[in-house]
Amino acid sequence: MPVFKTPFNGYAVKFSPFYENRLAVATAQNFGILGNGRVHVLDLTPTPNAPITELYAFDTADAVYDCTWSEDNDNLLVTAIADGSVKLWDLALSPTSNPIRSLHEHSREVQSVDWNPVRRDSFLTSSWDDTIKLWTVDRPASVRTFKEHAYCVYSSVWNPRHGDVFASASGDSTVRIWDVREPTSTMIIPAHDFEILSCDWNKYDDCIIATASVDKSIKVWDVRNFRIPITVLNGHSYAVRKVKFSPHRDSLIASCSYDMTVCLWDYRVEDALVGRYDHHTEFAVGIDMSVLVEGLFASTGWDEFVYVWQHEEISRIPVGEDNGDSCNLIGLLLVPSPLMPRRRSSRREPRKVTLMHEFCYASLICSFCHLRCQKLCAARRGCKRGTAGGGGRSRRTRQDDTPQEEAASKEDDPLHREAEEQDKMILLKKKLLVKEEDPLHREAEEQDKMILLKKKLLVKEEDPLHRSGLGALLNEPRRQIWFGSSSQQTRRRLGDSGPLLNANGIFAVGGGEDAWVIRVALLNARGD
């Protein structure tokens, strides 16, 4: 996983919409509380194991909390500064000519900045002064100020399809939907009971929005019916700082949290958490996904590190075939490690991919885990493929092998035997279930139980202690006796005083571990 060390604490990352190997990073000194800031522009070299290089770096007098790229100019970068200003940087100019503009209208820290992806001529800033401002590049002052929130506005994001609509998340526990053509907000969603730190629109459905809160949860909403959320994603152990919808998959969400993890979610399935990354050692506060490269992620945190990685779904790796990747297991995702160069498989024709079985998933335990998983899957399907020892390279059974030779090789394979045993157990369970549902089978079981009980009673009648104790009870006219099982707690041993009768009507005779119990029911005065 490529890593870049920043001199200050990381706050935000943003992939360029024009260059797939360019990334902007916003950082702040002393965790953003006091001190300077710096903006880094990094180059992600496509060569495996190559380090991330820095193309540009711009220093500021205060912390930099967020950054975004222009959708119209590939060299223009906008940053949110802790002193309440918004600074614009032009990479085509020398460092001494930057920033090209500093817009200062907010009275407190600017927390976020977002460029309009539809109109491409304006951007939004949200601030701790409870306001949101709309800006254009060609005007020195803001176009409009939106002020309805009762507390800090932590995030404001444009709708990906409607250039006049945006959403804002605030510390007043609400999300507001705005239309710049309307004088006030068009919708208020009381999304959480605590501060909302981030929100983002679904890139494929302009009515779906996700919110992240201090309450450790992520909620997905449909603005057409926002009485209840579509789903609630729980998995973080501290406040969720950032949430982002994938630009390539409509149901995939990425989040980062103060619990120092980055999580991936599929909000449309029951088991929504599909990946967890714990590479950060301090608060993870910045996350982004590349628009140009599917599956390319970047994150940053207070540990002063920027991580960039490419993830692959487990279902994309052909089962029973080694593609030469060294993989790290993270939930349902396999992340290629930079420790080994990637080797492409010589098999070129397309082949249907089969998902891993549950017992295979449990065996993914190390960096070469998928090799064992593929072996088990191949053995379970009775496949002719195996894996050679030494290096884990896949091989095929020779076409001229006879059926007897193939059968002998399978019998010698412990993985094949293990898979066969599991198949037998599954078949046995199915037969038992069928028997349990058969009424004749249940009736036969009841008869067997009665025969076994009668045999036990006959053995007990031959016991002299049993006869003496039972005879004493039978001589009393107002008592009835029947036999039944009892737990260890209700057993009473026979002492020197003879048979014992406790408060629950338990009559115990016999001694030692073979003590048995008779329950005595007292009858009424009529002897019914």
Side-chain angles (χ1 to χ4, degrees):
M1 182 182 296
V3 179
F4 181 80
K5 179 71 167 63
T6 60
F8 301 153
N9 308 110
Y11 258 88
V13 289
K14 188 69 174 179
F15 282 101
S16 169
F18 295 95
Y19 305 103
E20 62 183 31
N21 60 338
R22 185 167 292 184
L23 178 71
V25 184
T27 66
Q29 192 178 19
N30 300 320
F31 308 101
I33 300 173
L34 181 66
N36 302 329
R38 180 173 295 179
V39 185
H40 301 269
V41 179
L42 307 179
D43 179 67
L44 312 176
T45 306
T47 307
N49 303 323
I52 299 176
T53 58
E54 183 181 77
L55 296 178
Y56 308 94
F58 304 105
D59 291 324
T60 60
D62 286 276
V64 184
Y65 286 158
D66 198 12
C67 59
T68 188
W69 291 95
S70 168
E71 296 283 346
D72 185 56
N73 185 342
D74 59 344
N75 289 317
L76 189 60
L77 182 66
V78 185
T79 56
I81 311 299
D83 61 2
S85 67
V86 180
K87 298 187 185 299
L88 282 70
W89 313 84
D90 192 340
L91 305 185
L93 302 178
S94 62
T96 56
S97 303
N98 279 291
I100 60 172
R101 186 169 298 176
S102 182
L103 310 172
H104 201 151
E105 289 189 13
H106 287 291
S107 59
R108 294 197 62 188
E109 291 89 336
V110 181
Q111 180 68 32
S112 76
V113 57
D114 188 55
W115 200 282
N116 193 324
V118 180
R119 293 188 177 277
R120 301 185 179 182
D121 61 350
S122 56
F123 60 92
L124 292 169
T125 58
S126 50
S127 172
W128 293 8
D129 62 7
D130 311 345
T131 66
I132 307 151
K133 290 184 180 290
L134 174 63
W135 308 82
T136 60
V137 178
D138 57 350
R139 297 184 59 173
S142 62
V143 177
R144 182 179 169 185
T145 300
F146 305 87
K147 183 173 175 59
E148 285 187 18
H149 283 291
Y151 198 63
C152 303
V153 184
Y154 294 116
S155 177
S156 55
V157 288
W158 289 103
N159 188 287
R161 293 190 180 181
H162 302 285
D164 297 316
V165 178
F166 69 91
S168 60
S170 169
D172 60 9
S173 306
T174 66
V175 169
R176 293 177 184 259
I177 309 300
W178 307 79
D179 190 322
V180 296
R181 298 164 295 187
E182 301 294 334
T184 60
S185 62
T186 59
M187 189 179 300
I188 303 174
I189 305 175
H192 296 264
D193 294 330
F194 296 90
E195 291 184 303
I196 303 173
L197 303 181
S198 179
C199 64
D200 194 34
W201 293 94
N202 190 310
K203 306 304 184 291
Y204 293 86
D205 190 337
D206 55 357
C207 294
I208 304 298
I209 190 171
T211 58
S213 171
V214 172
D215 63 7
K216 303 178 286 187
S217 72
I218 300 167
K219 295 183 180 182
V220 182
W221 305 85
D222 190 329
V223 297
R224 294 165 293 192
N225 182 14
F226 58 88
R227 292 182 180 273
I228 58 174
I230 297 175
T231 186
V232 179
L233 307 176
N234 292 306
H236 286 294
S237 55
Y238 288 100
V240 185
R241 179 58 183 269
K242 194 84 170 179
V243 62
K244 293 284 289 186
F245 267 105
S246 170
H248 300 282
R249 290 184 53 189
D250 59 345
S251 60
L252 185 65
I253 298 175
S255 63
C256 60
S257 167
Y258 288 147
D259 63 7
M260 299 179 287
T261 66
V262 175
C263 289
L264 297 182
W265 315 80
D266 188 340
Y267 76 90
R268 290 184 177 174
V269 299
E270 183 177 358
D271 189 9
L273 182 60
V274 297
R276 184 187 295 273
Y277 302 83
D278 56 358
H279 43 255
H280 286 289
T281 57
E282 283 288 349
F283 293 165
V285 295
I287 181 73
D288 194 31
M289 289 177 274
S290 174
V291 178
L292 303 177
V293 181
E294 183 176 0
L296 187 61
F297 284 74
S299 67
T300 188
W302 284 9
D303 55 4
E304 301 178 355
F305 282 104
V306 178
Y307 293 92
V308 181
W309 71 96
Q310 176 83 37
H311 85 272
E312 295 180 14
E313 293 183 41
I314 195 169
S315 60
R316 292 180 182 176
I317 299 179
V319 177
E321 191 173 309
D322 178 18
N323 65 351
D325 285 341
S326 170
C327 298
N328 299 317
L329 176 67
I330 303 177
L332 297 178
L333 303 178
L334 292 174
V335 183
S337 169
L339 299 178
M340 293 183 65
R342 180 166 184 151
R343 300 190 301 268
R344 296 193 178 273
S345 172
S346 59
R347 183 177 174 85
R348 294 184 179 179
E349 63 272 15
R351 190 167 65 88
K352 184 178 179 181
V353 175
T354 305
L355 292 177
M356 304 294 183
H357 301 282
E358 280 189 11
F359 79 94
C360 295
Y361 178 74
S363 68
L364 305 177
I365 54 175
C366 68
S367 61
F368 299 97
C369 55
H370 65 289
L371 297 179
R372 173 171 169 76
C373 187
Q374 290 161 4
K375 290 179 183 178
L376 291 174
C377 286
R380 185 177 180 84
R381 295 195 312 272
C383 180
K384 294 182 180 180
R385 291 171 187 250
T387 9
R393 296 291 294 176
S394 63
R395 61 175 177 87
R396 296 190 183 204
T397 304
R398 296 195 309 270
Q399 297 298 328
D400 55 351
D401 284 349
T402 63
Q404 292 80 6
E405 291 176 346
E406 293 181 8
S409 62
K410 286 183 179 180
E411 290 178 359
D412 294 337
D413 187 2
L415 296 177
H416 177 75
R417 290 197 299 270
E418 180 182 350
E420 280 190 341
E421 291 296 330
Q422 291 179 356
D423 287 339
K424 290 179 182 178
M425 290 299 297
I426 292 172
L427 184 60
L428 179 61
K429 289 180 180 178
K430 288 182 179 179
K431 290 181 178 179
L432 293 176
L433 289 175
V434 172
K435 285 185 177 181
E436 289 179 358
E437 295 176 358
D438 186 2
L440 296 177
H441 174 74
R442 291 197 298 269
E443 183 179 352
E445 280 191 341
E446 293 295 333
Q447 292 177 356
D448 291 340
K449 291 180 182 178
M450 292 298 298
I451 293 171
L452 183 62
L453 179 60
K454 288 179 182 180
K455 289 181 179 179
K456 291 182 178 180
L457 293 178
L458 290 175
V459 172
K460 289 180 180 179
E461 287 178 358
E462 297 176 358
D463 185 1
L465 291 176
H466 169 76
R467 289 197 300 271
S468 61
L470 185 60
L473 286 175
L474 293 175
N475 290 331
E476 298 190 17
R478 295 185 180 179
R479 291 183 179 174
Q480 183 179 357
I481 302 116
W482 69 89
F483 301 97
S485 61
S486 66
S487 62
Q488 186 68 29
Q489 288 79 6
T490 60
R491 291 185 178 180
R492 300 285 302 276
R493 292 188 180 181
L494 181 65
D496 298 335
S497 59
L500 301 178
L501 183 67
N502 66 9
N504 295 324
I506 303 297
F507 177 79
V509 297
E513 296 297 330
D514 296 326
W516 53 274
V517 176
I518 301 176
R519 180 179 294 277
V520 180
L522 299 181
L523 306 180
N524 57 27
R526 294 183 301 174
D528 294 337

